[in-house]
Amino acid sequence: MHLAYPAVLAALLFCVGLYGVLARRNAILVLMSVELMLNAVNLNLVAFDVWLRDTLHAGQALTLFTIAIAAAEIGIGLAIVLAVYRNRGTSDIDRLRDTAETDEAEGNESPGKTKKAEATT
């Protein structure tokens, strides 16, 4: 098997994932796009491991490590998205950023920040 086939497929997967990260507004779809990008990297790792005929199979071992890290990242990411959705009522990334900017502009800072500012002056 030629190395070009999985490399091209991985490049296409990575481009689709990158487009999803840059164009999507929903936080869950952004997390899914990050997973596509990680899977493209995993495909490259395994393809180059087979192509180089590595006796230690370092590419496959690194792929397993990447899959474990990605599973933990998705678990934590979904927990954060659900917590934000419960507090704000939306998972739209642009709305969350706009809300944070308007809170800072209006001076709606937490009481801890004002106490810290008073203590430093």
Side-chain angles (χ1 to χ4, degrees):
M1 182 168 91
H2 296 285
L3 182 63
Y5 298 134
V8 168
L9 180 61
L12 290 175
L13 273 176
F14 193 85
C15 289
V16 169
L18 185 64
Y19 173 75
V21 167
L22 296 176
R24 297 293 178 185
R25 307 230 187 277
N26 192 347
I28 294 175
L29 292 177
V30 170
L31 287 174
M32 289 174 59
S33 299
V34 169
E35 282 295 316
L36 271 178
M37 293 167 65
L38 285 173
N39 285 331
V41 171
N42 288 339
L43 181 62
N44 267 335
L45 284 171
V46 171
F48 276 97
D49 182 52
V50 169
W51 184 62
L52 294 173
R53 293 186 176 94
D54 187 15
T55 56
L56 295 176
H57 299 293
Q60 293 178 16
L62 193 56
T63 298
L64 288 175
F65 180 71
T66 306
I67 289 171
I69 295 297
E73 174 248 338
I74 285 298
I76 292 171
L78 283 176
I80 291 171
V81 168
L82 286 175
V84 167
Y85 182 77
R86 285 182 183 167
N87 288 336
R88 303 286 178 128
T90 184
S91 63
D92 188 10
I93 295 173
D94 289 336
R95 284 179 145 182
L96 294 175
R97 184 178 35 211
D98 292 341
T99 304
E101 290 172 358
T102 56
D103 285 347
E104 291 173 3
E106 293 174 359
N108 293 338
E109 296 180 3
S110 65
K113 288 183 181 177
T114 56
K115 288 180 185 176
K116 186 184 283 186
E118 291 173 1
T120 58
T121 57

